[in-house]
Amino acid sequence: RTEIEPGAPPRGPGAAAARFGFLTMLTVAAIVLALLLPGFSLAAARRLRAAPWKSLALGLAVFATGPFVIVLLFVTVVGAFVALPLMALLPVLLLAGFLTAMISLSDFALQRLGRADSAGKGLRAVAIAATFLALWLLCFIPGLGPLVLLALLLFGAGALSLTLWQRYTATT
């Protein structure tokens, strides 16, 4: 009889299949994001490469202070009306940020191959899928996989926030 120690990460073929299935869903979501909003997703992805440390700092700020701000808004009566949409939008922002980081990595790979400017939709989709496959393989390295995922989430959320702010200020 084998005992599973509490807090141990899942291992075995079932865990690998679950990771692969989850990353497959994220791959499809990233491809859909890149195809539905090609200009914005590439602008955010290139913003990440242009200002990586600013993206990381803003992503960390959003990730760390977002829930705290939502709780503070819920404490006030008037702020509860603002907190409800923020509570729904924060996970969406974090997921979209992660997908933005993956699109940025795939665009970087295409740029290194000299195909970034001439890449069509199909090549971009293949590059995104290859990036997710590399990420899936990185998840097998104990300790490194979760750190890489967190770093991608923080960098991407920051780059997405910077791009949203730039587009907002350009229109006002």
Side-chain angles (χ1 to χ4, degrees), residues 93-136:
L93 173 70
L94 294 175
L95 174 64
F98 179 77
L99 298 178
T100 299
M102 294 307 295
I103 292 170
S104 178
L105 284 177
S106 66
D107 189 54
F108 177 72
L110 286 173
Q111 188 178 34
R112 297 296 292 169
L113 294 172
R115 307 275 315 258
D117 295 330
S118 64
K121 294 176 182 178
L123 185 58
R124 288 211 183 274
V126 169
I128 291 170
T131 305
F132 271 98
L133 182 62
L135 179 66
W136 179 65

Side-chain angles (χ1 to χ4, degrees), residues 2-171:
T2 307
E3 290 291 324
I4 299 174
E5 65 181 79
R11 302 210 183 277
R19 269 191 227 117
F20 185 74
F22 182 67
L23 287 177
T24 301
M25 289 186 284
L26 287 176
T27 302
V28 171
I31 291 170
V32 168
L33 178 67
L35 293 179
L36 284 179
L37 303 169
F40 181 79
S41 63
L42 278 179
R46 291 181 177 157
R47 164 77 53 168
L48 174 57
R49 287 199 316 278
W53 301 116
K54 189 186 283 189
S55 298
L56 177 63
L58 186 58
L60 185 60
V62 167
F63 185 73
T65 62
F68 182 69
V69 168
I70 290 171
V71 168
L72 282 178
L73 286 171
F74 263 122
V75 170
T76 66
V77 176
V78 178
F81 295 109
V82 177
L84 283 172
L86 284 178
M87 190 170 65
L89 289 175
L90 184 63
V92 173
L93 173 70
L94 294 175
L95 174 64
F98 179 77
L99 298 178
T100 299
M102 294 307 295
I103 292 170
S104 178
L105 284 177
S106 66
D107 189 54
F108 177 72
L110 286 173
Q111 188 178 34
R112 297 296 292 169
L113 294 172
R115 307 275 315 258
D117 295 330
S118 64
K121 294 176 182 178
L123 185 58
R124 288 211 183 274
V126 169
I128 291 170
T131 305
F132 271 98
L133 182 62
L135 179 66
W136 179 65
L137 293 173
L138 270 177
C139 285
F140 285 108
I141 301 172
L144 183 64
L147 288 176
V148 169
L149 293 175
L150 179 64
L152 288 173
L153 182 127
L154 295 178
F155 276 106
L160 187 64
S161 299
L162 282 172
T163 306
L164 285 170
W165 181 254
Q166 177 196 19
R167 297 274 170 110
Y168 173 75
T169 56
T171 58

